[in-house]
Amino acid sequence: MHLFWHRRDLRVPDNRGLAAATADDTTLPVYVIDDDILERLGRRQRAFMIDGVRALKARYQELGSDLLIREGSPAEELAGVAEAYDADTVYYTHHYRPARRHRQQQVDEELSTRCAIDLTLVDPADLAPSYPNHSRFHTDWQAEPKPTPATVQTDALAAVDDETTIDDSPISEEATVDDAAPNPAAADSDRPPAGYAAARDRYDSFLADGIESYNDTRDDMQAAVERPIGAVSRLSPYLAAGMIGIREVWADATERYDAADENGDGAAARNIEKYRYELSWREQNYHLLHYNPTLLTENYKSLPNRIAWENDPDEIAAWKAGETGYPLVDAGMRQLNQEGYIHNRPRQNVASFCTKHLLIEWRIGARYFAEQLLDHDPANNYANWQWIASTGTDSVDVRIFDPVAQLSKYDANADYVTEYVTELRGVEPAKIVEWPTLSAATRERLAPDYPEPIVDRDAAYERAQRVFETALGKR
């Protein structure tokens, strides 16, 4: 018998580690509640993950098997299970976060193990250690073959009968979320359903009504309000928790692309190809973490001089609360706090405003995202924050998003802003777009309850340019 150690791969279909185990022998699935790892997740995401464990357990029971749940040190618990069930090998899928790598190493030292690459389409080890930009990465990555979805032999799963009684322990209350928690942003009773079936339903909805217009709607903030699942896939929480496999996602998108291309539907093919291209950014972020384990804590880019971060406590608090006086930034932060999700366009803007206009170091912003996001993924979160902060892989030395210009371009009618910034409802959209540039008297007359801008738009932009050029040795 084999054991399969589930971690951030809470599904049966397209699970390469589980497929390898079941191809060779009867396999008993195990999940170890590791409090140290769970504590690194935000309360909202932790609850979603535990929901996913419950959904996975139910699925195994439908298949005539079960998910054995233990709590404690993975190395110790898996060793005990292996001895109790006379299992010879522990299979698992590779992870990239340093804390999870450490767990893998401990299990490897204690037991006979086999590891599968599952989180990415292309093994980062098959590519060069570094790339100067995403374009060069994408060229090499695109040339690599993409595996088809993995097939799990469900008839090889350990059966539950009189001879094989799988004992179990309840999922501890400590591992769940308290909806009466002191932090209201973490009290999310409306989080989406967890598990593979829910992920598949969401992806099917997007494939039916979204992927063929994805490039046209992905930055349209009116569409984001009117069609939150459709304008984009909103699949990120499920990918982050491993509730759907990346090969399955890629295969279905590719099937749609090939059909559109064969039918001569150039518009649909262009939109679908953009969705597939965006998946390559996720792949590069895992590649970065694979080769740079300190990505979560240290600048990826070596700078000749220190960045003169301000880290003003009052400005940090205003940014977190969505009370900066910049409508697009505040709408994004309020969406994050309310839903545990933030659309990609405002996600970029709130991070840029944080690190550039306010000169709050990227680690502070990234940690707050980690606490709040339902779709937090260490590789994506920290790589993207570093890209925005000009300490990562961006080919532009100092990129600064102008929150006024960005609002004008992507939410000119203020549909997204007024969805979350209620103080501005009823204000003319053109005034909302230009809000930080209006006179204080005009702002007071139009929306007396909305906070004043905490920094001057032009002065903050120029300060950021000066600080980062100094850090780069250009001044």
Side-chain angles (χ1 to χ4, degrees):
M1 178 182 282
H2 298 322
L3 302 183
F4 180 71
W5 175 29
H6 275 284
R7 296 189 291 162
R8 228 188 69 196
D9 50 359
L10 302 178
R11 66 187 186 281
V12 175
D14 189 26
N15 188 319
R16 296 189 80 193
L18 183 60
T22 58
D24 191 36
D25 200 351
T26 302
T27 300
L28 171 61
V30 184
Y31 182 84
V32 180
I33 296 173
D34 184 342
D35 288 336
D36 182 58
I37 293 293
L38 287 175
E39 286 173 1
R40 296 169 188 265
L41 306 179
R43 294 178 64 84
R44 181 184 273 126
Q45 189 181 41
R46 185 161 69 246
F48 184 65
M49 293 283 283
I50 293 301
D51 286 348
V53 174
R54 294 190 177 103
L56 181 62
K57 182 176 178 63
R59 178 56 183 153
Y60 275 122
Q61 290 173 340
E62 291 173 354
L63 293 170
S65 182
D66 208 340
L67 177 65
L68 180 62
I69 298 175
R70 290 287 182 266
E71 187 168 6
S73 161
E76 294 177 4
E77 295 302 322
L78 289 169
V81 173
E83 182 178 1
Y85 292 96
D86 195 24
D88 52 15
T89 307
V90 175
Y91 285 75
Y92 64 86
T93 59
H94 183 67
H95 287 262
Y96 299 89
R97 185 170 188 162
R100 290 189 181 271
R101 288 194 203 184
H102 180 60
R103 293 295 188 276
Q104 292 171 186
Q105 182 180 1
Q106 291 176 323
V107 172
D108 290 343
E109 291 172 352
E110 187 73 23
L111 298 159
S112 172
T113 61
R114 292 189 183 179
C115 176
I117 300 300
D118 180 79
L119 281 176
T120 57
L121 285 161
V122 175
D123 185 350
D126 291 340
L127 298 170
S130 65
Y131 291 91
N133 52 50
H134 182 71
S135 178
R136 292 281 293 276
F137 170 85
H138 184 260
T139 298
D140 282 5
W141 176 85
Q142 193 173 33
E144 291 291 322
K146 310 300 186 293
T148 57
T151 301
V152 173
Q153 305 298 322
T154 56
D155 58 353
L157 296 170
V160 179
D161 54 35
D162 292 338
E163 297 180 2
T164 308
T165 302
I166 300 178
D167 62 320
D168 204 355
S169 59
I171 299 175
S172 69
E173 291 302 317
E174 289 76 17
T176 66
V177 70
D178 177 7
D179 287 337
N183 178 5
D188 183 13
S189 59
D190 296 324
R191 59 183 176 270
Y196 171 77
R200 187 66 245 186
D201 285 347
R202 178 162 293 190
Y203 193 36
D204 285 341
S205 295
F206 177 66
L207 291 171
D209 183 27
I211 196 169
E212 293 185 358
S213 59
Y214 171 76
N215 187 58
D216 298 334
T217 61
R218 62 188 298 267
D219 283 324
D220 183 340
M221 300 312 299
Q222 180 180 353
V225 172
E226 295 176 351
R227 296 172 54 230
I229 301 174
V232 293
S233 71
R234 294 286 289 260
L235 203 60
S236 54
Y238 297 99
L239 283 169
M243 294 176 189
I244 191 168
I246 189 61
R247 288 153 303 282
E248 183 174 342
V249 172
W250 178 264
D252 286 354
T254 300
E255 181 181 355
R256 294 300 180 101
Y257 173 82
D258 291 343
D261 188 49
E262 183 178 341
N263 294 332
D265 191 343
R270 173 179 56 83
N271 279 279
I272 298 168
E273 181 55 25
K274 180 62 174 178
Y275 184 74
R276 297 201 311 166
Y277 176 77
E278 289 302 307
L279 293 176
S280 73
W281 282 94
R282 177 183 181 274
E283 295 276 310
Q284 186 182 20
N285 291 340
Y286 275 101
H287 177 273
L288 286 168
L289 187 54
H290 171 78
Y291 284 105
N292 304 275
T294 60
L295 188 70
L296 279 58
T297 56
E298 298 179 14
N299 291 344
Y300 171 80
K301 183 187 298 182
S302 296
L303 304 176
N305 300 308
R306 184 184 68 85
I307 300 172
W309 301 114
E310 294 284 337
N311 296 335
D312 182 279
D314 292 337
E315 292 182 354
I316 292 172
W319 175 79
K320 288 181 177 180
E323 296 178 351
T324 68
Y326 282 77
L328 181 58
V329 174
D330 292 343
M333 294 306 292
R334 293 184 192 190
Q335 183 185 29
L336 171 66
N337 292 334
Q338 291 171 27
E339 301 175 10
Y341 173 84
I342 179 172
H343 186 282
N344 184 63
R345 177 54 52 180
R347 193 178 296 218
Q348 291 179 313
N349 273 271
V350 303
S352 175
F353 190 82
C354 174
T355 57
K356 302 297 173 53
H357 283 73
L358 301 182
L359 288 177
I360 298 169
E361 65 172 311
W362 61 265
R363 297 169 186 83
I364 294 173
R367 283 196 297 267
Y368 188 69
F369 268 34
E371 293 168 5
Q372 299 300 325
L373 283 172
L374 184 68
D375 65 3
H376 175 250
D377 179 304
N380 285 334
N381 186 41
Y382 288 91
N384 288 338
W385 267 94
Q386 291 225 44
W387 188 90
I388 287 287
S390 300
T391 61
T393 59
D394 191 1
S395 57
V396 176
D397 281 344
V398 185
R399 186 187 301 271
I400 306 175
F401 285 66
D402 179 351
V404 175
Q406 289 275 304
L407 181 54
S408 175
K409 183 175 182 179
Y410 297 108
D411 192 29
N413 292 324
D415 297 287
Y416 176 78
V417 164
T418 53
E419 178 74 12
Y420 296 99
V421 183
T422 57
E423 303 98 309
L424 293 176
R425 291 176 183 173
V427 177
E428 181 185 350
K431 297 293 187 184
I432 296 175
V433 169
E434 296 296 331
W435 192 261
T437 68
L438 301 177
S439 69
T442 299
R443 290 194 295 260
E444 173 67 20
R445 175 175 57 82
L446 292 174
D449 295 330
Y450 184 55
E452 279 290 291
I454 60 174
V455 289
D456 178 81
R457 172 199 184 194
D458 294 336
Y461 184 97
E462 292 167 2
R463 181 183 66 170
Q465 194 78 38
R466 182 173 63 254
V467 164
F468 277 86
E469 287 182 354
T470 300
L472 289 163
K474 292 188 173 184
R475 284 180 180 253

